[in-house]
Amino acid sequence: MRIRKAVFPAAGLGTRFLPATKAQPKEMLPLVDKPVIQYVIEEAMASGIENIIIVTGRGKNAIEDHFDVSFELERTLAERNQKELLKLVRDISSMIHVSYVRQKEPLGLGHAVLCAKEMVGNEPFAVFLGDDIIESRVPAMSQMMKVFARRRCSILAVEPVPNERTRDYGVIAHNRGARGDIYQVTDLVEKPLPEEAPSNLAIIGRYILTPEIFSHLEKTRPDAKGEIQLTNGLRSLLKKQPIAAYRFQGKRFDTGNKLGFLKATVEFALKRKDLGPGFREYLKSLKL
Ligand code: UTP
């Protein structure tokens, strides 16, 4: 069964980026000159996904505008004969079919995924979190689709993290499978302290989920902060279905916090043909 649909939860408050996110969504913060969410949607497209479902909330209109046609801008660029910029702008709106669903209150990632239930229907689907940008030869989601094709169960992307960082992630307990990069999940723990973490394999923002996750999310109780956590929904699903974890090939940039975002900005800028050489010279001149 092919994965045709992808859900992009983008309704969080983005408090770690305040004040930048007071009046604009964190998904629209640019890494060099492209909003974070566009990198992730490009990965979905490169993986063959046809339907993008973005879960938005209050103050997220900029995301819809970004993927919509911008008549005035296109007309002005056409009149000025700025063909390359016109193509750049048109390519974004003609990229792919995007639908939107609203999460009225930020009640957690699990709740955001649940908001896409009607649009997803009864088929396995992908979830992408914009905080994680993965650079790889084969798109990370394509790699996961291959694992899904054989296992036919929910697949979580994982990556080893330093012990002191487990408290920032959902962490899996596992039995290592025959292949070194695929694990059978035996439990999931949300943000464990290092001494309580069942492993150092953290769940990264890419998932393939079976549609049964929805009924489990519906039954999942809010946590102490009043949020429905996806990890808790997955825990409940695990009692009924196997879940596998996959250590993807590629380099992940955690753009969900300020330092990670800065690191990604520097690396992406250095890789650019038009900006890299000048930027490198500048960094060297800083004599850090
Ligand atoms: P985060 O945990 O990064 O939360 O959410 P956040 O609100 O975006 O950012 P901080 O921590 O306050 O800085 C992980 C993903 O889940 C989405 C977010 O948009 C992000 O993509 N999310 C989170 C929702 O869509 N709805 C929610 O209620 C919570």
Side-chain angles (χ1 to χ4, degrees):
M1 197 188 283
R2 234 161 51 77
I3 306 295
R4 303 183 306 142
K5 298 181 181 177
V7 176
F8 291 74
L13 295 176
T15 52
R16 282 172 292 170
F17 276 94
L18 282 168
T21 46
K22 188 176 171 216
Q24 73 169 328
K26 78 169 178 186
E27 294 77 13
M28 289 302 295
L29 296 176
L31 260 185
V32 186
D33 55 6
K34 196 155 67 172
V36 167
I37 193 164
Q38 193 176 329
Y39 286 89
V40 188
I41 288 190
E42 284 173 0
E43 182 193 320
M45 288 168 61
S47 308
I49 285 172
E50 295 149 13
N51 269 291
I52 302 288
I53 301 161
I54 303 183
V55 184
T56 63
R58 275 171 73 84
K60 301 280 180 167
N61 299 352
I63 299 177
E64 296 183 32
D65 291 344
H66 184 70
F67 292 105
D68 203 353
V69 176
S70 174
F71 288 112
E72 296 89 345
L73 180 60
E74 289 189 16
R75 196 176 53 217
T76 309
L77 293 174
E79 280 166 10
R80 291 185 187 164
N81 205 22
Q82 290 180 298
K83 287 187 189 141
E84 274 184 31
L85 286 181
L86 182 60
K87 182 174 177 321
L88 196 75
V89 168
R90 278 203 180 133
D91 281 354
I92 298 168
S93 53
S94 58
M95 251 184 175
I96 202 162
H97 181 70
V98 187
S99 336
Y100 298 91
V101 60
R102 192 106 169 162
Q103 185 188 25
K104 288 187 187 138
E105 276 181 85
L107 295 177
L109 174 58
H111 182 264
V113 171
L114 188 54
C115 290
K117 179 183 169 189
E118 301 303 321
M119 284 187 176
V120 169
N122 192 27
E123 60 182 282
F125 62 103
V127 176
F128 289 75
L129 300 190
D131 283 354
D132 291 316
I133 295 187
I134 302 173
E135 219 182 34
S136 54
R137 199 175 50 77
V138 177
M141 186 52 72
S142 291
Q143 299 174 36
M144 292 174 71
M145 285 171 171
K146 279 210 183 105
V147 180
F148 176 77
R150 280 189 287 129
R151 299 258 171 159
R152 303 278 168 146
C153 68
S154 294
I155 314 285
L156 318 177
V158 291
E159 182 177 81
V161 294
N163 288 347
E164 64 277 12
R165 296 288 314 276
T166 54
R167 60 163 70 91
D168 299 328
Y169 296 90
V171 173
I172 61 161
H174 62 83
N175 291 329
R176 187 184 274 268
R179 252 181 73 175
D181 52 0
I182 302 177
Y183 306 82
Q184 196 64 42
V185 176
T186 53
D187 199 3
L188 304 106
V189 189
E190 182 67 12
K191 300 189 169 63
L193 295 172
E195 55 275 22
E196 284 159 13
S199 78
N200 68 342
L201 286 177
I203 304 171
I204 303 307
R206 301 288 183 277
Y207 308 75
I208 292 178
L209 301 176
T210 55
E212 287 76 20
I213 188 67
F214 292 123
S215 59
H216 290 272
L217 286 171
E218 274 162 349
K219 283 184 282 180
T220 302
R221 287 171 185 270
D223 65 6
K225 286 197 296 179
E227 295 190 348
I228 295 175
Q229 296 298 346
L230 181 57
T231 309
N232 292 338
L234 287 166
R235 247 187 145 181
S236 165
L237 180 70
L238 185 60
K239 293 191 183 119
K240 301 281 178 197
Q241 290 184 356
I243 297 179
Y246 170 64
R247 167 69 184 103
F248 57 90
Q249 301 283 321
K251 179 165 182 179
R252 174 180 72 105
F253 294 90
D254 177 4
T255 63
N257 68 78
K258 288 177 188 172
L259 185 59
F261 191 90
L262 284 173
K263 289 179 186 171
T265 304
V266 170
E267 291 203 34
F268 279 66
L270 284 172
K271 283 190 188 117
R272 284 272 295 257
K273 282 202 185 84
D274 54 343
L275 297 168
F279 190 46
R280 188 176 306 271
E281 282 303 300
Y282 167 69
L283 289 179
K284 280 186 184 160
S285 79
L286 293 178
K287 299 195 175 59
L288 298 170

